[in-house]
Amino acid sequence: MNTIEKFDSNIMGTYGRYPLVMEKGSHEIAADERGREYIDFGSGIGTNSLGYCNEKWVNAVCGQAKTLQHTSNYYYTKVQADFAEELNKITGYSAVFFGNSGAEANECAIKLARKYSFDKYGRGRHNIVTLENSFHGRTLSTLSATGQEVFHNYFFPFVEGFRYAKANDTEDLKAKLDDTVCAVMIEYIQGEGGVVPLNKDFVDSVFELCGEKDILVIADEVQTGVGRTGKFLAGDHFGHKANITTLAKGIAGGLPMGACLCDEQCRDVLGKGTHGSTFGGNPVCCAGGLAVLNFIKSGDHLKQVTEKGNYLRDKLLGISEIDKVDGMGLMLGASLKTKKAQGVVAEALEKGLLMLTAKEKLRFLPPLTITYEEIDKGIAILEGILK
Ligand SMILES: *Cc1c(COP(=O)(O)O)cnc(C)c1O
């Protein structure tokens, strides 16, 4: 049996996979079992933020694995304290809870928002407004939070207490913010929904309307956070700071880690025994996360993300098959005039380029460390396909 046959006969078929067995990687280049190399414009799904096996990251992770790979959250560890301190410093938040994924970070945010409201106002103010076309995860409550009907299937009953407002429609949002609502949850740029940024005016009114009624704003920055858009948080582009921000994907350079950050008024809401995770804040993952934060702090890497993003965007707009490009920094989505994104990605794979789609768009989430030469090489491959 080859790897793919063995894999498929032993693992649930929950993913549509490409026929590629990934074996190793170095910097921004991945290699498969047959030794074929690929320029990586996807970095997992925006996860390998420093590329493959970045030296400082490897040293931090391996060093921690050799010292202490896990301890229960009944005890303290220095590496979790160091990582949390850096994260709070860089974002300006007061406190963090660590889980292991984006969905878990959002679960924490949902629980926090409901308890904040319960503690202050009692029962009945439990509804959370999310946006149509959003994506917040695959657990039952984050599926319920996801504002796309295709996700609301099979697994009934879903979790109650979510309602959906139209993105960029202030009137619709206003109509949904009655006195049963404790939070509004947004992605500044809807990632899985097709790389769709929110309008500045709409984001302004989310914060204004919520501020008036003591409704918390939750920013799901699982995809947009940790430097992806050229600022540490995408909220920085909009000049707003949510009460709660969730991070995952690129936060630990490819290790499972989710973070739910909150401001001063929320920091004591989840007290002893109200939330937890066996693996949450795992020392090896925290060491990986700390290496990512140290990278971002050293030098002008965020500025470079913006510059490389602009460079990539200009190159994409130079391809006649590409209609328009949305997104910020190194989170871009390109609409095609005639071709299907899925087919383009399959063809790119055969020519040595890894790419993603988001709805009907080509999606670009390269490692933050990608070089101009690699962008050029990848674009040359893409240009050949789109000709
Ligand atoms: C990927 C993603 C999630 C889910 O993250 P997992 O780590 O897969 O649980 C949630 N929200 C957004 C915006 C995402 O992009």
Side-chain angles (χ1 to χ4, degrees):
M1 243 195 254
N2 68 28
T3 301
I4 292 180
E5 289 162 354
K6 191 198 286 187
F7 198 108
D8 287 343
S9 72
N10 288 287
I11 292 171
M12 289 185 201
T14 54
Y15 301 96
R17 294 178 203 272
Y18 296 103
L20 165 66
V21 182
M22 199 69 88
E23 189 173 271
K24 59 186 178 180
S26 175
H27 301 282
E28 292 71 45
I29 308 294
D32 70 11
E33 238 182 16
R34 299 170 301 168
R36 289 201 49 184
E37 295 193 335
Y38 303 84
I39 294 171
D40 193 349
F41 274 5
S43 61
I45 304 179
T47 312
N48 295 335
S49 40
L50 307 186
Y52 295 94
C53 309
N54 171 285
E55 199 186 332
K56 284 184 177 151
W57 178 88
V58 166
N59 288 340
V61 166
C62 292
Q64 186 60 51
K66 285 179 188 164
T67 315
L68 177 77
Q69 86 277 25
H70 170 85
T71 186
S72 103
N73 278 306
Y74 293 129
Y75 312 113
Y76 293 89
T77 60
K78 181 173 186 312
V79 67
Q80 189 175 153
D82 287 344
F83 181 43
E85 183 187 50
E86 279 305 324
L87 207 49
N88 286 332
K89 237 191 249 170
I90 251 179
T91 58
Y93 281 105
S94 293
V96 60
F97 175 87
F98 291 123
N100 312 284
S101 66
E104 282 177 73
N106 287 338
E107 288 279 348
C108 179
I110 291 163
K111 286 177 71 175
L112 198 166
R114 285 188 172 172
K115 186 162 181 298
Y116 171 87
S117 190
F118 178 87
D119 291 348
K120 232 168 143 174
Y121 304 99
R123 289 178 82 107
R125 199 172 173 275
H126 54 258
N127 283 316
I128 295 177
V129 175
T130 67
L131 299 182
E132 289 180 6
N133 195 46
S134 57
F135 181 81
H136 297 297
R138 296 285 194 162
T139 61
L140 273 172
S141 75
T142 57
L143 271 183
S144 301
T146 293
Q148 301 187 51
E149 271 315 302
V150 289
F151 288 101
H152 301 160
N153 243 311
Y154 322 122
F155 312 113
F156 306 104
F158 284 89
V159 176
E160 282 175 46
F162 293 93
R163 43 173 83 157
Y164 316 101
K166 286 194 183 68
N168 296 324
D169 184 335
T170 301
E171 288 313 309
D172 190 49
L173 176 70
K174 206 185 250 173
K176 275 154 189 158
L177 295 185
D178 61 22
D179 55 11
T180 67
V181 174
C182 63
V184 172
M185 185 161 169
I186 59 171
E187 297 159 89
Y188 292 105
I189 306 172
Q190 295 185 328
E192 301 305 307
V195 194
V196 186
L198 297 182
N199 298 338
K200 168 89 169 91
D201 286 352
F202 178 73
V203 173
D204 287 345
S205 47
V206 169
F207 279 85
E208 195 183 317
L209 293 169
C210 289
E212 284 165 9
K213 297 182 162 186
D214 195 20
I215 293 170
L216 299 179
V217 179
I218 302 170
D220 178 349
E221 293 228 33
V222 167
Q223 192 157 154
T224 55
V226 199
R228 176 54 57 190
T229 66
K231 303 261 191 203
F232 191 83
L233 298 178
D236 296 341
H237 291 287
F238 292 83
H240 286 292
K241 181 141 173 270
N243 303 99
I244 301 170
T245 287
T246 56
L247 301 173
K249 290 205 163 83
I251 193 175
L255 291 178
M257 167 62 70
C260 176
L261 292 146
C262 73
D263 64 13
E264 194 60 27
Q265 64 174 331
C266 295
R267 64 163 294 140
D268 296 320
V269 170
L270 292 177
K272 212 170 282 180
T274 58
H275 198 45
S277 161
T278 299
F279 284 121
N282 171 273
V284 176
C285 301
C286 285
L290 202 48
V292 170
L293 298 187
N294 285 337
F295 169 83
I296 288 177
K297 275 196 331 186
S298 66
D300 61 347
H301 294 291
L302 293 184
K303 195 168 142 242
Q304 287 186 43
V305 168
T306 302
E307 287 167 4
K308 286 173 192 168
N310 290 339
Y311 183 80
L312 175 58
R313 178 194 300 267
D314 287 345
K315 290 268 163 179
L316 290 169
L317 287 169
I319 300 174
S320 62
E321 168 64 17
I322 291 178
D323 195 23
K324 72 181 175 89
V325 178
D326 296 302
M328 289 177 192
L330 287 172
M331 177 178 182
L332 298 175
S335 311
L336 299 172
K337 287 179 185 160
T338 58
K339 298 207 193 257
K340 291 263 175 287
Q342 202 65 54
V344 173
V345 170
E347 214 179 315
L349 195 66
E350 287 177 8
K351 302 212 156 80
L353 174 66
L354 304 179
M355 278 198 304
L356 300 163
T357 61
K359 292 283 167 71
E360 67 297 330
K361 290 181 193 171
L362 292 176
R363 175 167 44 158
F364 300 83
L365 296 170
L368 305 182
T369 49
I370 194 153
T371 64
Y372 287 96
E373 293 91 301
E374 286 158 347
I375 293 177
D376 286 345
K377 278 188 198 159
I379 286 289
I381 294 172
L382 182 60
E383 238 172 345
I385 297 166
L386 295 180
K387 240 199 281 201

